[in-house]
Amino acid sequence: MSNTASGKNLRINGERLWQSLMEMAKIGATEKGGVCRLALTDLDRQGRDLFVRWCKEAGCTVSVDRMGNIFARRPGRDNSLPPIGTGSHLDSQPTGGKFDGVYGVLAGLEVIRTLNDMNYETAAPVEVVVWTNEEGSRFAPAMVASGVFAGVFDEEYGLTRKDLDGKTMGEELQRIGYAGDLPVGGRKFGAFFEAHIEQGPILEAEQKTIGIVQGAQGQRWYEITMTGQEAHAGPTPMRRRKDALLGASRIVHEVNRIGLAHQPYACATVGLMQVSPNSRNTIPGKVFFTVDFRHPDDATLSKMDAELRACASRIAEEIGLQLQLEQIWYSPPVAFDKACVSAVQSGAETLGYENMPIISGAGHDSCYIARVAPTAMVFVPCADGISHNEVESATPRDIAAGCNVLLQAMIARANA
Ligand code: HGY
Ligand code: MN
Ligand code: MN
Ligand code: MN
């Protein structure tokens, strides 16, 4: 196959990419126009099956590793070269949108479809990857399968992550038929690129089409259990109560205060809370809740950690509650590979797209893949910067633009 078109003139088919996104969005579609495709549910399986079918139709060979990561491979001229990889995730939040993760997966497929259309042969092979359980919503922590691939977690840890019903990832991978036989990791990528919506308001506010992602902020995730004493809401005097929900709500307030104290970048969220016995006329005896801290500077993230621990113990003591506070995940700030970042930058410049450097507020599989391969990301705007919400949306123009930049960056590295 001789390359008739020069890589620089290749353009993706925006209409086909948009249609694929809308087709995939039908799987787990919610009333308000979003998706709910939690990791390793039957809906996740359906999305995976559709993606695998499309990849096989595009002539790819598909393999699956023991964490359920899917690799769709298009051969190059020299298949002994490490592949140029791209991809993201298909699992979503409970009230997720049509683009988070899926865009990166289907933009990768569109790159392959375009190379096929143009009969274009890259020197190195190209691979599109679906990483399992990026969201960390059903199984914590986030990015666990790309983390196992990158050697951050061992396979045993990954496969034994449990959801709130006690089901493990290993069991669910078996159940949906994606417990692959490929060992996890140990495979080289020549470079890895991920296209993603920004999930924040900056690109839209600055009227830029492309975000040249320099890196991502660090994260610390905690699980906190406060234990007091169930008692009757009527006869129990206020001063004799060991009200676990009072303790938890004071910590929620403190989490917000810590976030505000480290502006302009800190983010601090309590997203999940379970109250027991959750009865309107019984004083809560036990509350389980989560904390999500983020900051681009590691030292500040450690300060936020210390402040959380100090206030939680003080509050528990004041109310007479037992406190269990466990940090379940720490993902340090990441800087992406300079050569890959500049490949994204020159892609955007060549194509004449308005662009700007940006740090990712969200975590992504690329944050872990960056440990084992030269990695960078391409961001496009999303409406009002809203994501992890069913109203999440992007324009066909920006979606196509990001995929064109992805194509240029990948070709540059595939032929390097
Ligand atoms: O939490 C995150 O940043 C990602 O969406 N998993
Ligand atoms: Mn995502
Ligand atoms: Mn997400
Ligand atoms: Mn993410």
Side-chain angles (χ1 to χ4, degrees), residues 197-205 380-389 391-393:
I197 50 169
E198 177 203 337
Q199 301 181 291
I202 299 170
L203 292 178
E204 188 182 58
V380 295
C382 54
D384 305 326
I386 297 287
S387 178
H388 284 194
N389 183 315
V391 302
E392 178 186 279
S393 86

Side-chain angles (χ1 to χ4, degrees), residues 134-135 142 219 294 362-363 388:
E134 186 280 344
E135 287 296 358
Q219 306 192 43
R294 315 236 180 156
H388 284 194

Side-chain angles (χ1 to χ4, degrees), residues 88-89 91 99-102 134-135 194 196 199 362-364 388:
S88 189
H89 60 96
D91 66 301
F99 301 93
D100 178 0
V102 192
E134 186 280 344
E135 287 296 358
E194 181 174 358
H196 208 288
Q199 301 181 291
H364 299 285
H388 284 194

